[in-house]
């Protein structure tokens, strides 16, 4: 029996699924007594340090947790569950941590994109039972903006490199905690959990030498999902956002099956986009929640869900906040949520007032779940202009002149799946959402969507230079070379495709095989 501390602000479902995959049963902690009675305790932490410590105090779990740690029974902290062990965090300096490990939690200041999102390696600083069956070359999934700084270096279990060498794991007796998410790190992550769950105390050496670890470029498989005319939830695919073929919604397969196939092929992340979310209400869209629940049982890489995340009033006049909608998705197994149309409207209000209200979906969800959980999906289309001064938008000079020889263009944001253009450009939207707390940009392109003609490199380059958060390139991938091109000529940290995977034109594995000796890739 494994006890798992769920303080209510994270995706514990995936951790439960990963532990149950090892044949163990999980008891979710409800009370302090549960903690004190636990043989082994797993503490997954997602969200913000402040809200975590606040909830632990409110639920009376703070002292029992500290008592458990001091009893030296087996403990595994994950991500924020590592940060909680320290004295305080720069993320929420007004809150104290557990103080079990002297030291503090520091924000990244490395000049690289923050959050640190993706697959990176670990270097061992001591032997551990957690390292059984690992060779030292594995990569694990990180998603965080802060890292721990222990006063005593003896507790350091692992370090990782991201602009600077940071502590990615600690071990003190039977208490261990890691920055990365083992439940989202595919096979190597499942091995770490298996090793923690075993009763043996033998320690293993991680054989890798101290060579610098590198963050891998991510290959993301995207599943645009909607109900077809028969009411079944299907994976569809637009051609420049038009998903109909001979009058019917294109049906390219079942969401859970396709997601599992892409995971098995090596996809680093899976994204579901509920493309009619702008008009349907996701919480009534139970099939979408079931898709997430079923997928998270067998897919152990990060899941992003988008579509319809906004404040909503149902037909009975009952109001739901975007935070409630997002919370339902997180409880169903999502690690990140993606906001499309509502982000455009939120940014327009913010840019007009110059004020942060704290009430927008972006601010609320990033405050509770952390900025790394909030992705902004941008649906832009190219608009040519003769001169940059003809518009008040951020423009670029383009190598691809317009129909009248225009050498400049801007990228107009749209909402409702491209149906409505707005007086806002993609670069300004991306920066505004970053200022409001978003952690990542999913940068689509209506002109390239479904065309197999390659990514819009000019758009992706311009946006990734304009913000300091990671950018996922999307739309237009037609061959593995397009992925190499977007990674070598833009700052994109991830590249997403849909059509070539669903139409079985290019397997995910072929993309990775093409890149493996050219770029840092997770094998
Ligand atoms: O506006 O918050 O409800 O979110 C709606 C979400 O659904 C947004 O993320 C929006 O991008 C997406 N969406 C809405 N309508 C469509 C459509 O196709 N009619 N999908 C749609 C847009 C973007 C990617 C696509 C890539 C890769 N698709 O999912 O797969 O462009 O395509 P490719 O590799 O096949 O070229 P909200």
């Amino acid at each position: 029996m494994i006890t798992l501390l769920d303080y209510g602000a994270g995706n514990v479902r995936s951790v439960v699924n990963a532990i149950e995959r090892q044949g163990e049963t999980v008891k979710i902690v409800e009370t302090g007594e549960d903690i004190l009675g636990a043989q082994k305790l797993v503490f997954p932490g997602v969200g913000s340090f402040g809200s975590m410590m606040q909830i632990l105090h409110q639920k009376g779990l703070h002292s029992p947790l500290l008592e458990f740690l001091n009893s030296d029974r087996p403990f595994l902290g994950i991500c924020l569950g590592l940060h909680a062990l320290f004295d305080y965090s720069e993320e929420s300096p007004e809150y104290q941590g557990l103080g079990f490990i002297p030291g503090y939690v520091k924000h990244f200041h490395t000049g690289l994109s923050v959050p640190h999102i993706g697959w990176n390696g670990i270097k061992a600083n001591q032997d551990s039972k957690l390292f059984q069956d690992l060779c030292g070359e594995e990569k694990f999934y990180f998603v965080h903006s802060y890292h721990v700084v222990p006063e005593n270096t003896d507790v350091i279990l692992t370090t990782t490199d991201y602009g600077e060498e940071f502590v990615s794991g600690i071990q003190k007796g039977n208490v261990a905690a890691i920055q990365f998410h083992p439940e989202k790190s595919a096979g190597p992550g499942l091995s770490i959990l298996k090793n923690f769950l075993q009763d043996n105390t033998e320690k293993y050496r991680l054989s890798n030498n101290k060579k610098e670890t590198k963050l891998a470029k991510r290959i993301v498989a995207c599943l645009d999902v909607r109900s077809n005319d028969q009411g079944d939830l299907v994976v569809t695919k637009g051609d420049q956002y038009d998903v109909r073929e001979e009058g019917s919604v294109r049906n390219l397969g079942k969401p859970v099956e396709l997601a599992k196939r892409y995971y098995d092929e090596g996809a680093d992340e899976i994204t579901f986009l509920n493309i009619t979310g702008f008009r349907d209400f996701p919480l009534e869209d139970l099939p979408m929640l079931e898709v997430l629940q079923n997928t998270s049982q067998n897919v152990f890489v990060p899941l992003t869900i988008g579509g319809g995340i906004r404040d909503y009033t149902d037909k009975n006049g009952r109001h739901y906040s975007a935070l409630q909608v997002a919370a339902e998705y997180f409880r169903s197994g999502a690690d990140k949520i993606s906001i499309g149309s509502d982000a455009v409207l939120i940014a327009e209000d913010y840019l007009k007032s110059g004020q942060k209200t704290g009430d927008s979906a972006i601010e609320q969800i990033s405050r509770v779940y952390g900025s790394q959980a909030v992705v902004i999906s941008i649906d832009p289309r190219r608009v040519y202009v003769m001169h940059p001064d003809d518009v008040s938008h951020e423009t670029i000079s383009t190598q691809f002149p317009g129909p009248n020889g225009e050498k400049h263009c801007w990228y107009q944001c749209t909402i409702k799946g491209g149906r409505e253009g707005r007086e806002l450009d993609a670069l300004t939207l991306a920066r505004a959402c970053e200022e409001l707390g978003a952690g990542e940009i999913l940068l689509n392109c209506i002109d390239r969507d479904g065309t197999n003609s390659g990514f819009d490199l000019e758009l992706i380059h311009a946006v990734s230079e304009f913000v300091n958060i990671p950018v996922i390139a999307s739309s237009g991938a037609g061959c593995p070379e397009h992925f190499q091109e977007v990674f070598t000529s833009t700052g994109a940290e991830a590249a997403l495709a849909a059509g070539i995977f669903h139409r079985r034109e290019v397997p995910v594995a072929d993309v990775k095989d093409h890149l493996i000796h050219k770029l840092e890739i997770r094998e």
Side-chain angles (χ1 to χ4, degrees):
M1 168 72 76
I2 300 300
T3 305
L4 184 139
L5 171 49
D6 171 13
Y7 62 92
N11 165 16
V12 296
R13 174 184 293 274
S14 300
V15 182
V16 171
N17 290 338
I19 292 174
E20 288 179 343
R21 163 70 64 117
Q22 316 296 333
E24 288 281 356
T25 52
V26 178
K27 173 183 172 129
I28 303 278
V29 159
E30 299 293 342
T31 65
E33 287 68 47
D34 290 338
I35 291 179
L36 293 173
Q39 295 305 312
K40 286 180 183 158
L41 183 64
V42 176
F43 180 22
V46 178
S48 72
F49 186 88
S51 61
M52 169 181 66
M53 296 315 298
Q54 203 174 24
I55 295 169
L56 288 179
H57 278 293
Q58 283 166 358
K59 293 191 169 186
L61 301 176
H62 182 280
S63 302
L65 190 48
L66 201 50
E67 191 174 330
F68 181 92
L69 291 164
N70 288 322
S71 72
D72 196 31
R73 276 173 278 175
F75 171 93
L76 180 65
I78 298 171
C79 194
L80 227 56
L82 162 66
H83 297 186
L85 303 180
F86 285 74
D87 295 324
Y88 70 93
S89 170
E90 287 181 348
E91 183 176 15
S92 323
E94 67 278 20
Y95 289 94
Q96 282 199 325
L98 294 166
F100 178 71
I101 304 275
Y104 73 106
V105 186
K106 177 173 178 278
H107 192 273
F108 269 117
H109 291 294
T110 65
L112 299 178
S113 300
V114 177
H116 170 224
I117 296 184
W119 297 80
N120 206 330
I122 57 174
K123 298 178 289 187
N125 201 57
Q126 55 176 294
D127 296 346
S128 173
K129 66 179 273 192
L130 299 180
F131 296 153
Q132 185 178 356
D133 303 330
L134 295 182
C135 72
E137 295 303 317
E138 293 86 359
K139 289 190 185 294
F140 298 87
Y141 184 74
F142 289 80
V143 53
H144 60 119
S145 303
Y146 298 81
H147 61 86
V148 297
V149 181
E151 280 175 16
N152 175 355
T153 55
D154 292 348
V155 302
I156 296 174
L157 175 64
T158 60
T159 58
T160 294
D161 299 298
Y162 184 63
E164 59 180 328
E165 184 178 45
F166 69 90
V167 173
S168 50
I170 63 96
Q171 179 172 273
K172 182 183 175 187
N174 290 315
V175 172
I178 48 186
Q179 182 64 66
F180 55 85
H181 285 264
E183 79 284 3
K184 292 294 166 183
S185 299
L190 295 177
S191 293
I192 291 260
L193 283 172
K194 172 175 64 65
N195 297 338
F196 169 72
L197 298 173
Q198 285 172 347
D199 290 330
N200 70 326
T201 54
E202 188 176 350
K203 293 193 173 186
Y204 294 82
R205 174 147 305 173
L206 210 52
S207 58
N208 72 333
N209 55 30
K210 285 287 188 188
K211 71 180 181 192
E212 183 188 352
T213 68
K214 289 191 172 66
L215 180 66
K217 295 293 186 183
R218 288 172 278 152
I219 307 302
V220 182
C222 184
L223 295 86
D224 291 359
V225 182
R226 60 160 288 171
S227 50
N228 64 11
D229 300 331
Q230 292 70 40
D232 305 319
L233 205 59
V234 298
V235 175
T236 188
K237 185 66 211 58
D239 180 352
Q240 299 181 55
Y241 284 42
D242 177 1
V243 298
R244 287 192 177 273
E245 195 164 348
E246 293 164 11
S248 300
V249 171
R250 208 169 274 127
N251 180 349
L252 297 171
K254 294 188 184 333
V256 176
E257 285 172 17
L258 282 184
K260 178 69 168 66
R261 184 177 104 203
Y262 300 144
Y263 168 64
D264 292 339
E265 285 189 2
D268 297 315
E269 290 189 25
I270 303 285
T271 295
F272 293 104
L273 295 178
N274 173 355
I275 65 172
T276 53
F278 69 91
R279 62 166 178 249
D280 307 335
F281 179 46
L283 295 195
E284 279 163 5
D285 188 358
L286 291 178
M288 196 67 232
L289 299 178
E290 282 162 18
V291 162
L292 268 178
Q293 287 155 13
N294 297 339
T295 301
S296 65
Q297 276 169 7
N298 296 303
V299 170
F300 298 99
V301 293
L303 301 179
T304 300
I305 173 79
I309 298 179
R310 66 193 187 292
D311 292 348
Y312 192 89
T313 303
D314 70 12
K315 50 187 175 295
N316 305 320
R318 181 170 171 203
H319 180 72
Y320 298 83
S321 72
L323 181 61
Q324 284 173 293
V325 176
E328 203 52 46
Y329 276 138
F330 287 124
R331 267 193 291 276
S332 300
D335 300 280
K336 299 188 267 186
I337 53 93
S338 159
I339 306 174
S341 307
D342 203 30
V344 175
L345 304 177
I346 289 167
E348 287 173 352
D349 290 347
Y350 168 55
L351 292 163
K352 195 182 305 172
S353 69
Q355 304 275 320
K356 291 180 185 177
T357 64
D359 299 332
S360 73
I362 297 172
E363 293 163 287
Q364 285 192 53
I365 300 168
S366 62
R367 186 166 54 241
V368 174
Y369 291 96
S371 64
Q372 82 293 334
V374 181
V375 181
I376 304 299
S377 175
I378 302 181
D379 296 326
R381 60 163 56 91
R382 184 179 272 236
V383 176
Y384 284 102
V385 291
M386 269 307 177
H387 304 289
D389 301 341
D390 292 351
V391 291
S392 61
H393 303 298
E394 294 291 337
T395 60
I396 66 161
S397 60
T398 175
Q399 304 299 315
F400 308 97
N404 306 311
E406 303 93 332
K407 291 194 171 20
H408 299 274
C409 71
W410 61 288
Y411 290 93
Q412 179 181 30
C413 294
T414 67
I415 60 174
K416 299 176 183 170
R419 291 169 180 78
E420 184 181 326
R422 305 292 292 192
E423 278 306 311
L424 179 64
D425 70 83
L427 279 66
T428 305
L429 171 64
R431 181 171 285 178
C433 292
E434 177 184 15
E435 289 170 1
L436 288 166
E440 197 167 34
I441 301 291
L442 167 53
L443 184 55
N444 302 303
C445 173
I446 295 176
D447 315 282
R448 294 298 179 102
D449 177 63
T451 62
N452 286 22
S453 59
F455 297 97
D456 185 327
L457 303 176
E458 294 177 333
L459 164 66
I460 299 159
H461 172 74
V463 172
S464 49
E465 292 299 302
F466 208 69
V467 296
N468 295 314
I469 53 179
V471 172
I472 303 168
S474 169
S475 304
C479 59
E481 289 75 8
H482 286 154
F483 290 84
Q484 182 180 355
E485 188 180 54
V486 76
F487 287 136
T488 50
S489 51
T490 77
E493 295 199 6
L496 175 150
I500 54 169
F501 297 150
H502 305 335
R503 295 189 296 266
R504 292 180 182 267
E505 291 160 2
V506 177
V508 174
D510 286 8
V511 173
K512 299 198 117 179
D513 290 347
H514 176 78
L515 296 174
I516 200 68
H517 300 302
K518 304 178 178 76
L519 296 160
E520 192 67 24
I521 290 288
R522 173 180 73 101
E523 288 190 62

